[in-house]
Amino acid sequence: MASIRPIPQLVALLVALGGCTLATTTDPSKTSDPNGHAGAKVSDGPFRVTTFAGSTMGYEDGPAASAKFFWPSAIAFDAAGSALVTDRANGHLRKITSDGQVTTLTPVTPAAFKNPDSLAIASSGDVYVADTQNHVIKKVTNSGEVSVFAGTGVVGKADGAVDAATFQLPSTLAVAPDGAVYVSDHSGKIRKIADGQVTTLEASFFSPQGIAYSNGRLYVCDNVEQIVSYVDLATGKKTELAGTVYGRGYQDGTGKDARFDGPLGIAVDGAGTVFVGDAGNRRIRRVSAEGKVTTIAGTGESGLVDEVAGLEAKFSDLRGMAIDASGNLYVCDNWNQRIRKLSPTAP
């Protein structure tokens, strides 16, 4: 067992917040993972926390246990069961195969992205990446070709054709079964890209930094308002699921009785249960369909404690989350330079 404190100097280097999303459901036709790989229900627990990939800060491919990342920020699973990760400070899209090998999918020099915060996978297998500090959304094809999908690179919030619309530090992505791409950015808006046009959802947020699609709903973490909510995409209606507006803190409970501190990562399982990376509290929280919030991992102390029961584990900076075909939960532990895995254990 190891206990490692995060490097304080890293805090000063952060330039944009974000989380990764991979929404899930048991019906492949209704999931943001078109191949249904994230459709499993996550166990009620308890859980054991281990390292899935990563070691120390840097850039190195190879076996997952020794590979190096520099602020991994988002994770999603492809049709083959491989994990794709945005390696934020390195500016790369990395791949972790099912046999535990880490490779780089995009050109190494120059880096394909500038602080990419998130990714999402379309039914075609194409990967969309929030190229955060370039203020655009990029597309990576199966052959590794990288192109601009939407945005001009100019900071703004203008809707319109994909080659004229503007974004402000786009942070997280989700893809619906119809191919529509949803983007949260630092303008406080959620944008929709479909049929060559960028539009803005009417629902209001302050800082939507984690989004996930599931069954016609877009689930949202607002890391300033401290709310987990969802938008019914058919009606545009926003429903608050848990948390109190500006009620920063830590408390399990139901609905407005619960408290979060900067929620960023979010994933939804096949039963409609929401999992949240509560970054400020350094804990992973579970939110039921009725809005009941419970803590499933993390002590609340910053550090790295691994190979232990969920409530004994320590995390440093929780970002993007995903669920695999077996119902295991993954989270990008940004400052620890690792992707952590929560596996169910016998009660």
Side-chain angles (χ1 to χ4, degrees):
M1 181 189 304
S3 182
I4 301 173
R5 305 294 295 180
I7 301 172
Q9 289 85 348
L10 294 181
V11 180
L13 297 176
L14 290 174
V15 291
L17 297 175
C20 136
T21 57
L22 182 66
T24 61
T25 175
T26 50
D27 181 353
S29 69
K30 297 181 182 295
T31 178
S32 66
D33 174 357
N35 302 290
H37 281 270
K41 177 184 182 298
V42 175
S43 164
D44 292 336
F47 299 90
R48 182 172 178 79
V49 177
T50 58
T51 292
F52 175 61
S55 55
T56 58
M57 180 191 296
Y59 170 67
E60 185 176 317
D61 287 337
S66 59
K68 296 180 180 181
F69 298 86
F70 194 168
W71 297 349
S73 58
I75 179 172
F77 285 89
D78 68 13
S82 295
L84 303 185
V85 175
T86 45
D87 189 2
R88 188 178 177 191
N90 281 322
H92 299 318
L93 181 62
R94 312 285 291 278
K95 179 178 182 178
I96 308 167
T97 61
S98 56
D99 60 355
Q101 293 294 312
V102 178
T103 58
T104 301
L105 294 184
T106 48
V108 175
T109 305
F113 313 101
K114 188 175 182 181
N115 283 326
D117 258 349
S118 185
L119 75 159
I121 304 173
S123 58
S124 62
D126 291 338
V127 181
Y128 296 101
V129 176
D131 193 356
T132 304
Q133 285 203 314
N134 282 322
H135 310 289
V136 297
I137 310 304
K138 288 184 177 176
K139 182 174 77 171
V140 183
T141 66
N142 290 319
S143 62
E145 181 182 351
V146 181
S147 61
V148 174
F149 177 66
T152 65
V154 175
V155 178
K157 52 185 178 180
D159 288 339
V162 292
D163 58 357
T166 55
F167 297 89
Q168 180 181 339
L169 296 169
S171 56
T172 54
L173 303 178
V175 180
D178 61 3
V181 178
Y182 293 89
V183 183
S184 68
D185 69 19
H186 283 253
S187 68
K189 302 294 185 180
I190 295 178
R191 320 286 291 281
K192 178 182 179 180
I193 308 171
D195 301 320
Q197 295 290 316
V198 178
T199 56
T200 299
L201 299 190
E202 292 184 5
S204 176
F205 300 92
F206 191 97
S207 180
Q209 292 302 307
I211 61 175
Y213 176 91
S214 183
N215 285 322
R217 293 175 175 176
L218 196 69
Y219 290 82
V220 181
C221 287
D222 192 313
N223 76 324
V224 172
E225 290 189 337
Q226 316 301 333
I227 294 289
V228 177
S229 60
Y230 66 83
V231 177
D232 185 318
L233 294 173
T235 65
K237 180 182 178 181
K238 174 186 173 182
T239 299
E240 294 180 356
L241 191 59
T244 299
V245 175
Y246 303 123
R248 182 185 298 273
Y250 169 66
Q251 182 173 306
D252 286 341
T254 301
K256 294 183 181 298
D257 291 334
R259 296 288 186 273
F260 299 94
D261 186 357
L264 289 174
I266 187 169
V268 188
D269 78 359
T273 303
V274 180
F275 296 87
V276 175
D278 192 358
N281 283 317
R282 302 176 184 89
R283 292 177 166 103
I284 298 175
R285 319 286 293 278
R286 175 171 52 209
V287 186
S288 72
E290 297 74 34
K292 181 179 180 180
V293 179
T294 54
T295 299
I296 64 171
T299 66
E301 296 180 8
S302 179
L304 173 58
V305 175
D306 216 7
E307 303 285 348
V308 294
L311 295 176
E312 298 174 8
K314 291 184 181 180
F315 303 92
S316 183
D317 183 40
L318 298 168
R319 295 297 178 116
M321 306 178 75
I323 299 166
D324 71 11
S326 299
N328 298 301
L329 183 65
Y330 299 78
V331 61
C332 291
D333 193 355
N334 189 56
W335 289 348
N336 279 326
Q337 318 303 336
R338 299 180 182 215
I339 294 90
R340 312 285 291 278
K341 178 180 179 180
L342 278 70
S343 305
T345 60

